[in-house]
C-alpha cells in the first residue's frame, strides 16, 4: 500500500532509513538544471508551487520541505490518478520529481505534510501538446511496450490467484487460504506503482487497519490476513473475499487502457524501493502473517522489470549506470535468497536485527542509482 496511508510511526522509521540515502539525493539535486525546475515550498499547512501553468512535456518539480513533518508531493490527473509522486521528504530536504505529462488539461498538485490525507491541493494547468521525445533506435518506445507487457502478465496472474485465495477463504479452509495469501499478493506487489495509481482502489485492496481514511471500511488483503491469522474466520469474511475479487477485477480492466511513459517506469522503479524501505523493512505490511519477505521480493522484482525494460535506453545515455544497477540488484537478491524457505520465505519476525540491517542497507544502496534513472531517461 502507498506510504501516504501508512502510520506516522512507519514514516518516522522510514525517515531514519532515508537519512542514509539523503546525501545521494542531494547530490542529484545540485547538478540539476535549476532553470526549468518548478520550485515547490512544502510547509506544514501550505504548498506553494512557483507556477501553476506549464507546457505539456517533461515537468520537473523541485520540492523543498520547509515544514516540521515528513512530507510528500503528488501530481494528480483526471479521476485522481497519480501521475507522479515523491515520498518521504524529511524536513529541510529537497527532492525532485520528473513527470512526463503528455496531455493538456487541469491537473492538481498536492503536498501531504505528515504523509496522509488528501493533501493541500492546487490546480495546475497544462497546455499544448508534448512533442515526441527524441528516441534514437526506438529504445524508449520499446521500454514502455515491454514493461506494459510485464504489467499485463502480472495482472493476468493476479486475478486468478486472488480468486483461488478468495475461494479458500469462503470455504473456510484456513490453512489453504494462508498458503495462497502471499502468492496472490506477489502479483499485486510487483506492479504496485501502477496498481496504486488508482487512488480509490488501493486502500480497498491493500489498506491497513490503522491508516485508513475516515469512514473507510477495513477491507481487502490485510483485513483477510487478520481474519486468518488473528481472529479466525468471521461472519463477513466471505463477503470481504468476494469484494476483493471484484476490486481486483476492476483494477485489471482499468490497467488495460493505461498509458505509460519511460519516466513513469523509472519513477515506478524507485517507488517500489521506497515501498520496501517504508513498509517491508519495518515488518508493517504483513503484520499478522509476517510474510513480508514475499512482498519485499515482489517489489524488487517489479523494480528490476522496469529497469530491465529501460536498460538499452539507459545505456545509450549513461554508459556506466547499468553496471551499477546490475551489481546492486544482484547484491539485494543475494541477501533475499538467504531467507528463502521452500517455495517462499522465512517469517519476517524470524530475522535477526543484523539481517534486517543488512537488507535495509542493500535497499538504500540500490535506491541511490535507481533514483538517477528518471533524470537519465528524460534527457
Ligand atoms: Cu502495499
Amino acid at each position: 500500500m502507498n506510504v501516504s496511508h501508512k502510520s506516522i510511526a512507519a514514516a518516522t522509521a522510514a525517515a531514519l532509513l532515508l537519512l542514509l540515502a539523503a546525501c545521494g539525493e542531494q547530490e542529484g539535486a545540485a547538478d540539476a538544471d535549476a532553470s526549468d525546475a518548478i520550485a515547490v515550498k512544502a510547509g506544514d499547512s501550505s504548498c506553494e508551487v512557483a507556477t501553476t501553468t506549464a507546457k505539456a512535456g517533461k515537468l520537473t518539480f523541485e520540492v523543498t520541505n520547509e515544514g516540521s513533518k515528513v512530507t510528500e508531493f503528488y501530481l494528480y490527473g483526471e479521476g485522481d490518478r497519480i501521475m507522479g509522486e515523491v515520498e518521504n521528504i524529511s524536513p529541510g530536504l529537497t527532492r525532485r520529481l520528473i513527470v512526463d505529462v503528455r496531455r493538456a488539461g487541469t491537473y492538481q498538485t498536492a503536498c501531504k505534510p505528515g504523509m496522509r490525507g488528501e493533501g493541500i491541493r492546487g490546480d495546475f494547468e497544462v497546455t499544448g501538446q508534448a512533442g515526441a521525445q527524441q528516441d534514437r533506435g526506438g529504445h524508449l518506445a520499446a521500454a514502455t511496450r515491454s514493461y506494459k507487457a510485464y504489467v499485463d502478465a502480472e495482472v493476468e496472474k493476479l486475478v486468478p490467484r486472488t480468486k483461488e485465495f478468495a475461494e479458500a477463504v469462503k470455504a473456510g479452509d484456513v490453512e489453504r487460504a494462508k498458503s495462497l495469501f502471499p502468492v496472490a499478493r506477489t502479483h499485486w506487489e510487483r506492479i504496485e506503482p501502477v496498481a496504486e495509481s488508482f487512488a480509490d482502489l488501493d486502500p480497498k485492496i491493500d489498506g491497513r487497519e490503522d491508516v485508513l481514511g475516515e469512514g473507510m471500511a477495513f477491507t481487502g488483503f490485510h483485513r483477510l490476513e487478520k481474519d486468518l491469522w488473528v481472529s479466525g474466520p468471521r461472519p463477513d469474511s466471505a463477503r470481504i473475499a468476494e469484494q476483493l475479487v471484484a476490486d481486483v477485477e476492476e483494477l485489471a480492466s482499468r490497467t488495460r487502457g493505461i498509458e505509460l511513459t519511460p519516466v513513469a517506469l523509472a519513477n515506478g522503479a524507485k517507488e517500489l524501493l521506497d515501498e520496501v524501505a517504508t513498509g517491508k523493512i519495518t515488518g508493517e505490511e504483513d503484520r499478522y502473517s509476517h510474510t513480508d519477505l514475499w512482498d519485499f521480493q515482489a517489489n524488487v522484482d517489479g523494480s528490476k522489470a522496469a529497469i530491465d525494460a529501460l536498460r538499452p535506453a539507459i545505456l545509450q545515455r549513461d554508459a556506466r549506470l547499468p553496471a551499477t544497477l546490475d551489481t546492486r540488484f544482484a547484491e539485494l537478491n543475494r541477501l533475499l535468497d538467504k531467507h528463502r524457505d521452500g517455495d517462499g520465505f522465512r517469517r519476517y519476525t524470524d530475522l535477526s536485527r543484523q539481517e534486517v540491517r543488512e537488507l535495509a542497507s542493500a535497499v538504500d544502496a540500490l535506491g541511490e542509482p535507481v533514483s538517477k534513472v528518471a533524470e537519465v531517461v528524460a534527457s
Side-chain angles (χ1 to χ4, degrees), residues 134-333:
Q134 218 204 2
D135 189 11
R136 228 166 359 99
H139 297 315
L140 293 173
T144 49
R145 262 200 316 276
S146 118
Y147 184 72
K148 178 64 168 59
Y150 175 80
V151 170
D152 290 345
E154 287 305 316
V155 167
E156 261 167 53
K157 287 175 228 159
L158 173 65
V159 174
R161 294 292 91 81
T162 304
K163 280 184 181 163
E164 277 172 19
F165 168 64
E167 286 311 316
V169 171
K170 283 156 72 180
D173 191 342
V174 172
E175 282 319 301
R176 182 169 159 76
K178 280 181 170 179
S179 73
L180 295 174
F181 171 80
V183 179
R185 286 188 58 75
T186 290
H187 304 294
W188 163 270
E189 293 281 329
R190 281 187 182 148
I191 58 163
E192 212 163 17
V194 170
E196 283 184 350
S197 70
F198 306 106
D200 56 332
L201 287 175
D202 176 36
K204 287 162 86 177
I205 296 173
D206 199 32
R208 311 215 196 97
E209 191 171 19
D210 56 332
V211 285
L212 286 167
E214 212 163 300
M216 278 207 69
F218 180 33
T219 61
F221 278 117
H222 295 303
R223 160 63 206 277
L224 294 171
E225 179 193 9
K226 190 177 184 187
D227 292 3
L228 293 167
W229 271 272
V230 181
S231 63
R234 290 165 52 175
D236 63 345
S237 296
R239 188 181 60 76
I240 299 284
E242 265 165 32
Q243 183 60 46
L244 174 62
V245 170
D247 290 337
V248 163
E249 281 175 332
E250 169 65 18
L251 172 82
S253 87
R254 287 199 216 169
T255 305
R256 261 169 230 128
I258 209 171
E259 229 178 297
L260 293 164
T261 63
V263 169
L265 263 60
N267 287 337
K270 179 65 170 66
E271 282 160 31
L272 281 162
L273 298 177
D274 289 344
E275 280 285 331
V276 171
T278 56
K280 280 71 181 185
I281 289 289
T282 56
E284 233 197 305
E285 177 89 49
D286 302 304
R287 65 185 65 167
Y288 312 115
S289 61
H290 306 304
T291 54
D292 305 83
L293 284 176
W294 294 69
D295 291 29
F296 190 141
Q297 179 73 63
N299 284 162
V300 174
D301 291 347
S303 181
K304 186 162 189 304
I307 297 296
D308 285 348
L310 288 166
R311 190 188 170 92
I314 301 170
L315 194 58
Q316 194 175 40
R317 292 162 175 79
D318 182 333
R320 281 159 51 192
L321 190 52
T324 307
L325 291 163
D326 290 349
T327 313
R328 308 263 167 102
F329 268 115
E331 172 60 11
L332 181 53
N333 275 319

